[in-house]
Amino acid sequence: LYLAGWESTWFANSPEFVMDFLKLVYGAIPSGDGLFQNIDLETVKAMRFTGMHGGVPAAEWMARLITATTMIIILPRLLLFGWNKARAELYEKNFPINLQTPYYQNLIRQKNGEVMTIYVLPFGKGLDDVEKSSLKELANAVSIPGANFIFTPVAHEDTPLPEFQASGAEEVWIVFPMATTPETEVHVSYTKDVALACTKVHATCRVLVNTDVFEERYSGFSGRVAQRIRNWSDFLDQTGIPYVFVNLAKLDAEKAASDFETAGTIE
């Protein structure tokens, strides 16, 4: 025989409170068993467990407990589960993701075992083998492994732009030598032209300012180097294109990769 009853440290001498609580909580549950039409203060007192005594037959109370558990715990959880499931399915079907952006295209290429094409435009100064190797190391550091590099030197701002679409370029990196004094009508104008061409073929444009020659020339004048970096930054800020300063002769791949990713991308 199962018994239903109660015991309490705080309300042991307050059966009136216990009766009010039972009526408030369990009495609100719809039922035709007439349980709460018959409950009174004496019944509640008899339900109190005192040692080996107390309690009443639990059959009617067990039905109430099961009903209460279903209404208070199970049903709300089922409703919450249904709501979250419906919302997840809605997001899955309607969340807009442009798989044509360079980021997702790179992921797709890697999944299919393909490689990304990176067009490199060294402006005004060609790149030696060490500098080219540093660019490839940088690409690996920013999760573009095994990229296909196409190097096309640019003599001046009027040099015709390459046919990015024909080459299948997904990223275009402009490399400016920091030793050159930046000019709006030259470097800024050229960068904007390249960025516009990249937009038309959904390629990502980045600018790398190679600091190697300038840092070697002014190795003992840190203030001069910092001033030149600020000067270049002021001009490149006008383009809206992400840029980084890297020493391609002595590449710190970890720092360069961090700066590269922090700069963001323009698509």
Side-chain angles (χ1 to χ4, degrees):
L1 175 67
Y2 291 98
L3 298 175
W6 64 276
E7 59 182 353
S8 171
T9 300
W10 301 103
F11 305 111
N13 299 318
S14 303
E16 300 88 351
F17 175 85
V18 176
M19 182 178 66
D20 292 338
F21 177 81
L22 291 175
K23 288 184 176 181
L24 175 65
V25 176
Y26 293 102
I29 301 173
S31 176
D33 55 20
L35 178 63
F36 282 91
Q37 280 70 31
N38 300 322
I39 194 170
D40 55 19
L41 188 58
E42 293 304 317
T43 302
V44 173
K45 289 181 179 179
M47 291 174 64
R48 181 189 172 199
F49 290 120
T50 55
M52 300 297 294
H53 304 285
V56 296
E60 293 179 331
W61 284 99
M62 288 181 68
R64 286 294 176 114
L65 285 169
I66 293 172
T67 304
T69 301
T70 301
M71 295 181 63
I72 298 173
I73 300 175
I74 298 177
L75 283 180
R77 287 181 177 271
L78 286 175
L79 291 173
L80 182 61
F81 170 78
W83 165 252
N84 285 334
K85 187 173 186 298
R87 188 172 60 173
E89 291 177 350
L90 180 66
Y91 286 157
E92 183 179 359
K93 293 178 181 178
N94 298 284
F95 190 75
I97 298 179
N98 183 5
L99 296 179
Q100 299 306 312
T101 61
Y103 173 78
Y104 288 109
Q105 285 296 303
N106 187 34
L107 293 180
I108 293 172
R109 273 188 298 272
Q110 290 185 40
K111 179 178 181 298
N112 295 333
E114 301 171 355
V115 297
M116 174 181 282
T117 298
I118 300 178
Y119 224 110
V120 180
L121 307 177
F123 189 96
K125 175 184 176 298
L127 300 174
D128 59 28
D129 291 341
V130 172
E131 293 168 329
K132 291 179 180 180
S133 177
S134 292
L135 289 176
K136 295 177 180 179
E137 184 180 353
L138 176 58
N140 289 329
V142 294
S143 302
I144 311 179
N148 176 37
F149 279 83
I150 299 177
F151 295 91
T152 301
V154 179
H156 47 75
E157 68 275 15
D158 294 324
T159 301
L161 296 179
E163 295 292 336
F164 299 133
Q165 184 65 54
S167 70
E170 287 83 33
E171 292 218 5
V172 178
W173 296 359
I174 307 171
V175 181
F176 290 128
M178 195 171 78
T180 302
T181 302
E183 300 179 44
T184 299
E185 63 275 13
V186 177
H187 305 91
V188 173
S189 177
Y190 182 77
T191 300
K192 290 182 177 180
D193 289 343
V194 173
L196 179 60
C198 288
T199 301
K200 294 178 180 179
V201 296
H202 305 289
T204 298
C205 180
R206 307 176 192 258
V207 173
L208 291 82
V209 182
N210 186 11
T211 66
D212 55 3
V213 173
F214 195 86
E215 286 186 341
E216 182 180 3
R217 184 182 302 169
Y218 295 100
S219 58
F221 303 90
S222 58
R224 186 69 180 272
V225 174
Q227 181 183 6
R228 180 55 65 92
I229 289 176
R230 287 195 300 269
N231 191 14
W232 267 99
S233 297
D234 289 341
F235 279 86
L236 292 176
D237 284 340
Q238 302 175 40
T239 68
I241 305 302
Y243 62 89
V244 292
F245 293 88
V246 292
N247 187 328
L248 295 179
K250 301 176 182 178
L251 181 68
D252 182 342
E254 183 176 347
K255 181 181 183 305
S258 176
D259 293 344
F260 204 69
E261 293 178 332
T262 301
T265 61
I266 299 295
E267 298 165 1

